[in-house]
Amino acid sequence: MTILAVNAGSSSLKFSLHPLADGQVQPHVLSGNFQGLEPGGSPQMGWQQQSGGKHQGALDVPEGASSFAAALDALRTLLRELPDVPPFAAVAHRVVHGGGEFTASVRVDDDVLARLARYESLAPLHQPHNLEGIRRFRAAFPELPQIACFDTAFHATMPEVNYAFALPPEVTAQGVRRYGFHGLSYQYIMGELLARSARGAGRVLMAHLGNGASLCAAQAGQSVATTMGFSALDGLMMGTRAGALDPGVLLYLLEQGWTHDRLEALLYKQSGLLGVSGVSADMRRLRAAAALGSQDADRAIRLFTQRVVRQSGALAACLQGLDVLAFSGGIGENDAQLRQDVCEQLHWLGLHIDLERNRDPGRQACAIHTPDSRIEVWVVPTDEGRVAAREAAALLRDAPAAGG
C-alpha cells in the first residue's frame, strides 16, 4: 500500500507518495508541486521520482475549469500511469490549525470539516485552502480515507505557563492562547535527532526557518515552548510576516483609519523580509541584492538574523540551558551564512561550528559542530509529508473510525 501526502495552499498543491513496507512508512518515491493555481496565475506542474524520472512544464487547464481541478486531474493521471504503484491506503493532508480541539490526527468527515472551519480566521493564509483541498480530494478520491494532520498538535504538550496569555478569563475562555505551528516539521526533526544523537532527548532548540519561520524548545522529545502563538503571525520575522509586534502599533493604525482587511494584508503579506527590503521575501534574492550593494536587503537579512538570535536566547532560558540546536526549513537548510551568523552570536552558550561542514552539510541530517562545542548543532532537512503519511498509517491501524 501507499499513502499520498498533500499540502494544499492558496496557489499551490504539494504532494508526495510514500510506500508502506512491513507497516512502516518509507521515504517518498514521488514528489511534486503544482504552482500558479491562483486566479490569473500561470499554472505549472513539476514532479520527480526517486528513481530519477523528472518533469517540469505548464499545466493544461481546460477552458472553464479551475486550475485546482486541472491539477487534481493531472495528479490522478500521473498516479495512474506510474508503473508498479501499489494501491492507495489514504490521503494525508497537512492542516495548519487544529485549535485546542484537535490534538491528534483525525479521519475527516463532514462534522470534522465543519469544526475545522472555525479556525479559518486564525490562519487565513492556510486553513481555508487546506480545508478546500480536503473537500476536493474527497470528491476526487471518494473511496480513500482522508486524514487531517495538524501543525498545532505537536505543541499540545506545552505547559500552561508557556501557552497562556496574560488576559482576563472571559477572553482566554474563548480559546485565545498560544498554539504554535510547524508541528509536522518539528515532529520529523525531533525523530531524526532522537535516532541520531544521544542528546536528542535532552534540551533541544529547533529552528524551522523559511517563508514561515518559528523556533521550538523541546525536552524529552516534547514541545515545551514555541515562538508562534494564537496565529501564525507571532515570533520570528518571516518572508512576508513581521513576527512579534507591539499591539500598540495596531491600535495606532486603527486610529489612523486602517480597516481589518488592510491590517490583515499588512501583517500577513506586506511585512517581514519583503516589507523591510522592498525587494523580495526570498532570502536567496536578498543575498544577491545585498552583494550588489542594496542596503535595504542587507537590513532585512540582519533583522531576520537578530530575531532568530534573540528568540533563541529566550527559549534557551525556558529550557534552562541547551544540548542541541537544529536548523531546518528552506532558509535553515540552505543558507550557510545565516547558520554561521546565528551560531557566532550564540557562541556565549559554548557553541562552535565547523565552517567547512556548515558550508556543505549534504541532503541528510548532518552534525556541523566542532568536537569542543558544548552544544551539538545539526542541519536536518525536514519532511512534513512523511510525518503526515506516518500519522495516517497509524490512525488507520489503530483508530479507523471517524471522529475528533
Side-chain angles (χ1 to χ4, degrees):
M1 303 291 285
T2 57
I3 292 178
L4 178 64
V6 300
N7 181 4
S10 60
S11 61
S12 65
L13 173 63
K14 299 177 183 178
F15 63 91
S16 54
L17 190 62
H18 300 262
L20 294 173
D22 299 323
Q24 300 298 312
V25 173
Q26 304 302 306
H28 65 261
V29 295
L30 171 74
S31 64
N33 190 11
F34 295 92
Q35 296 180 314
L37 303 184
E38 71 277 9
S42 300
Q44 303 285 318
M45 66 177 294
W47 54 265
Q48 183 168 2
Q49 289 178 272
Q50 198 175 40
S51 59
K54 191 174 183 179
H55 172 85
Q56 188 76 40
L59 172 66
D60 182 32
V61 181
E63 186 175 354
S66 73
S67 295
F68 199 100
L72 272 179
D73 287 341
L75 179 57
R76 266 200 308 259
T77 300
L78 172 62
L79 296 175
R80 189 166 53 241
E81 292 179 350
L82 284 175
D84 304 321
V85 175
F88 294 104
V91 181
H93 297 263
R94 179 197 179 200
V95 177
V96 165
H97 217 307
E101 182 179 8
F102 293 93
T103 58
S105 298
V106 62
R107 184 167 176 170
V108 176
D109 57 18
D110 291 340
D111 177 63
V112 167
L113 270 176
R115 287 150 64 191
L116 288 174
R118 301 171 190 165
Y119 305 112
E120 289 188 354
S121 63
L122 304 189
L125 287 188
H126 305 91
Q127 192 85 351
H129 309 294
N130 296 160
L131 301 188
E132 181 61 22
I134 294 176
R135 295 185 189 99
R136 289 177 178 266
F137 270 89
R138 288 181 81 194
F141 299 91
E143 74 284 2
L144 292 180
Q146 309 290 321
I147 309 298
C149 307
F150 303 103
D151 258 343
T152 48
F154 183 73
H155 302 293
T157 54
M158 288 193 299
E160 183 181 18
V161 71
N162 285 338
Y163 72 67
F165 292 132
L167 294 169
E170 59 265 29
V171 177
T172 58
Q174 300 176 42
V176 178
R177 50 158 288 181
R178 186 177 300 278
Y179 290 103
F181 300 92
H182 292 136
L184 296 179
S185 178
Y186 288 132
Q187 190 172 336
Y188 182 83
I189 299 165
M190 195 71 254
E192 289 291 287
L193 293 175
L194 288 171
R196 296 171 182 269
S197 170
R199 293 189 178 185
R203 300 165 298 181
V204 175
L205 178 61
M206 295 176 282
H208 178 104
L209 308 177
N211 190 52
S214 69
L215 302 176
C216 174
Q219 194 154 19
Q222 296 186 326
S223 173
V224 298
T226 187
T227 55
M228 278 187 168
F230 176 67
S231 71
L233 287 171
D234 199 12
L236 301 180
M237 178 179 173
M238 305 176 220
T240 61
R241 286 168 268 176
L245 187 68
D246 183 345
V249 174
L250 304 184
L251 294 177
Y252 168 78
L253 293 176
L254 285 171
E255 291 173 356
Q256 302 305 306
W258 284 52
T259 64
H260 170 278
D261 289 351
R262 190 179 177 192
L263 284 174
E264 184 176 83
L266 172 72
L267 296 174
Y268 278 101
K269 299 179 179 181
Q270 298 167 358
S271 301
L273 291 172
L274 175 63
V276 175
S277 71
V279 175
S280 177
D282 189 319
M283 184 64 84
R284 294 166 296 186
R285 289 189 60 189
L286 294 181
R287 293 283 185 196
L292 293 174
S294 170
Q295 293 184 358
D296 290 335
D298 181 68
R299 184 180 301 113
I301 294 169
R302 288 188 289 108
L303 186 56
F304 183 91
T305 304
Q306 174 61 18
R307 291 292 181 86
V308 174
V309 171
R310 180 171 177 167
Q311 295 280 357
S312 294
L315 291 194
C318 289
L319 291 169
Q320 293 292 285
L322 203 57
D323 298 307
V324 179
L325 169 62
F327 291 94
S328 194
I331 298 173
E333 295 168 25
N334 297 302
D335 194 320
Q337 189 62 54
L338 183 282
R339 293 193 299 266
Q340 180 179 335
D341 292 344
V342 168
C343 289
E344 285 179 351
Q345 294 186 58
L346 294 176
H347 73 279
W348 55 273
L349 288 168
L351 183 158
H352 307 284
I353 61 170
D354 182 314
L355 296 182
E356 184 175 346
R357 206 180 308 170
N358 177 56
R359 278 192 291 270
D360 185 18
R363 297 185 178 182
Q364 302 294 324
C366 176
I368 61 170
H369 53 277
T370 59
D372 63 338
S373 179
R374 292 208 304 265
I375 297 168
E376 292 187 359
V377 185
W378 289 75
V379 179
V380 183
T382 194
D383 192 343
E384 293 160 307
R386 190 173 181 184
V387 173
R390 287 173 181 165
E391 289 287 303
L395 185 64
L396 292 177
R397 182 181 64 243
D398 300 332

